[in-house]
Amino acid sequence: MIKIGMLTSGGDCQALNAAMRGVVKTLTNSGEKVEIYGFLDGYRGLIYGNYRMLTGSDFSGILTVGGTILGTSRTPFKLIHEPDENGINKVDAMKKTYKKLKLDCLVILGGNGTHKTANLLREEGLNVVTLPKTIDNDLWGTDMTFGFQSAVDIATNAIDCIHTTAASHGRVFIVEVMGHKVGWLTLNAGMAGGADIILLPEIPYDIDKVVDAIEKRSKNGSRFTIIAVAEGAISKEDAKLSKKAYKEKLRNRPYPSVSYEVAAQIQEKTGREVRVTVPGHVQRGGSPCPYDRVFASRLGSEAGKLILDGEYGFMVGYRNREIVKVPLEEVAGKLKMVSPDSSIVKEGKLLGICFGD
Ligand code: F6P
């Protein structure tokens, strides 16, 4: 008999259900008896012992369903050692739940913050296997996370739709793509959608370079310009500020997001009409794309195999086209960012894309 606890934590994404189904199918197909405790709403379920007993049939028919059947929530790692409002020590509470249920292993699906807590639980002696989810694709130790390709499809579709209306009206259009800290999604959707300018958190922009790129296009006969802007895009001047001063600036910024600030600056400097579109959480929603269904199923099944082999303390990731197990201590606390010197950025520049630098 194998007793596993499973939870999904942090912002949701497509293919969480597909990944969990992959784990459970692999375990149940092995012929082992399996008991599955589904903790509700992320680590919160583990802290407060809030779970549902699940069987194989709960994972049937969910391959194509977005979101997570377990629910999710954010439990910030920086607050993990602080007692909750009732004085409960969260780490002790999670260990207590695990021990009380006599679990053999926890299967944790999540992104960066989730992996810090997963690694902490490993250090505290719990058996943990994790799976890399996030539309941001910013998890260290894996070339790809599930959810990312589905979000690229959605953000690309948004840019495609904007393209036709931008062309009709001869306007400058900004599409704001998710990603506060990293720009993988903006970079890929921007390139896939033929954006003329792409602004990423990792490459601070100079607004005059952005304006020059728009004017150059106009001189060359293009009536419109498409700009893909990451949520966390930052100007060169702002990048020089301390973290605290930048946060303060954001608090007082008279715009809902960076895209509106960029739009106002372009409008002021060029006199052109600029429109902003923010697809927002649409990018995290709906059915996973076929790539993510296959990818998450493969990761899930490899996680199931690790459990059957009693190998714990790993994230199942993807490197150089191989599914691999990556020690959790290597993953936790690191971000995989877009390097300004990466070949994809260089190729983008060769294609004529302006990155504002
Ligand atoms: O981590 C995924 C993500 O969708 C980011 O791209 C985005 O910046 C953030 O979550 C939004 O968080 P929330 O759902 O809490 O608004």
Side-chain angles (χ1 to χ4, degrees):
M1 158 82 79
I2 304 175
K3 288 174 126 193
I4 64 162
M6 189 138 61
L7 65 90
T8 52
S9 175
D12 76 341
C13 70
Q14 302 88 343
L16 280 163
N17 289 328
M20 291 192 277
R21 171 182 172 274
V23 177
V24 171
K25 268 190 177 287
T26 302
L27 293 176
T28 51
N29 285 336
S30 74
E32 281 280 349
K33 255 188 124 222
V34 188
E35 220 166 73
I36 307 159
Y37 297 75
F39 292 104
L40 306 180
D41 298 336
Y43 285 116
R44 226 185 262 164
L46 185 59
I47 295 169
Y48 301 109
N50 201 3
Y51 61 85
R52 265 175 58 204
M53 293 302 300
L54 302 167
T55 65
S57 64
D58 290 298
F59 296 86
S60 172
I62 62 169
L63 172 64
T64 62
V65 180
T68 158
I69 59 166
L70 296 180
T72 187
S73 66
R74 294 194 190 272
T75 308
F77 180 74
K78 62 179 177 205
L79 302 179
I80 207 77
H81 290 292
E82 284 187 22
D84 77 353
E85 55 284 7
N86 299 313
I88 290 175
N89 179 314
K90 294 171 206 146
V91 179
D92 285 351
M94 288 192 277
K95 284 163 65 180
K96 206 167 141 200
T97 306
Y98 180 96
K99 294 211 166 112
K100 189 172 152 207
L101 298 176
K102 298 194 169 65
L103 296 179
D104 291 304
C105 169
L106 280 174
V107 180
I108 298 176
L109 293 82
N112 276 298
T114 302
H115 274 80
K116 288 189 211 165
T117 303
N119 188 44
L120 172 70
L121 294 176
R122 178 195 65 81
E123 286 167 349
E124 293 286 329
L126 308 194
N127 293 332
V128 180
V129 170
T130 69
L131 288 163
K133 70 92 227 191
T134 166
I135 64 164
D136 294 339
N137 193 30
D138 58 354
L139 209 49
W140 187 267
T142 183
D143 296 342
M144 184 78 74
T145 56
F146 57 85
F148 175 65
Q149 293 292 344
S150 302
V152 169
D153 284 2
I154 296 169
T156 301
N157 185 42
I159 297 173
D160 288 349
C161 292
I162 288 303
H163 235 122
T164 57
T165 177
S168 309
H169 286 266
R171 283 173 174 158
V172 175
F173 256 100
I174 294 179
V175 179
E176 184 172 291
V177 179
M178 271 189 161
H180 271 118
K181 292 189 180 147
V182 300
W184 291 112
L185 184 52
T186 310
L187 177 59
N188 281 269
M191 280 180 87
D196 310 295
I197 300 169
I198 297 179
L199 304 183
L200 308 177
E202 297 92 335
I203 308 179
Y205 64 84
D206 174 344
I207 193 67
D208 290 326
K209 294 273 168 62
V210 173
V211 166
D212 285 351
I214 297 169
E215 299 296 13
K216 193 170 152 210
R217 274 179 61 74
S218 172
K219 265 193 213 116
N220 291 339
S222 304
R223 276 167 36 82
F224 68 93
T225 295
I226 305 285
I227 314 179
V229 175
E231 284 176 315
I234 185 166
S235 70
K236 285 198 169 171
E237 305 90 76
D238 287 349
K240 285 184 199 139
L241 297 175
S242 67
K243 235 182 175 181
K244 195 171 161 220
Y246 182 54
K247 271 196 178 160
E248 186 59 23
K249 190 201 151 172
L250 290 188
R251 255 194 296 278
N252 299 317
R253 182 163 66 183
Y255 305 104
S257 70
V258 62
S259 296
Y260 291 89
E261 184 174 5
V262 171
Q265 289 171 328
I266 296 171
Q267 220 151 290
E268 193 197 306
K269 285 176 185 274
T270 66
R272 287 170 203 277
E273 229 179 332
V274 185
R275 293 282 192 273
V276 177
T277 294
V278 183
H281 289 76
V282 164
Q283 293 162 92
R284 269 187 7 207
S287 189
C289 67
Y291 179 97
D292 271 338
R293 294 178 199 182
V294 176
F295 182 48
S297 299
R298 289 183 64 194
L299 294 176
S301 94
E302 292 288 344
K305 193 167 165 291
L306 285 185
I307 297 165
L308 289 170
D309 294 344
E311 285 201 72
Y312 304 118
F314 295 102
M315 175 185 82
V316 182
Y318 187 65
R319 274 179 180 165
N320 304 320
R321 296 172 182 264
E322 300 278 345
I323 307 277
V324 291
K325 51 179 197 194
V326 189
L328 278 176
E329 61 267 38
E330 264 182 40
V331 177
K334 289 183 228 151
L335 270 185
K336 183 182 74 202
M337 306 184 87
V338 176
S339 160
D341 299 321
S342 58
S343 69
I344 185 169
V345 171
K346 286 183 186 153
E347 287 137 14
K349 287 184 176 172
L350 290 173
L351 293 168
I353 298 169
C354 165
F355 286 86
D357 57 341

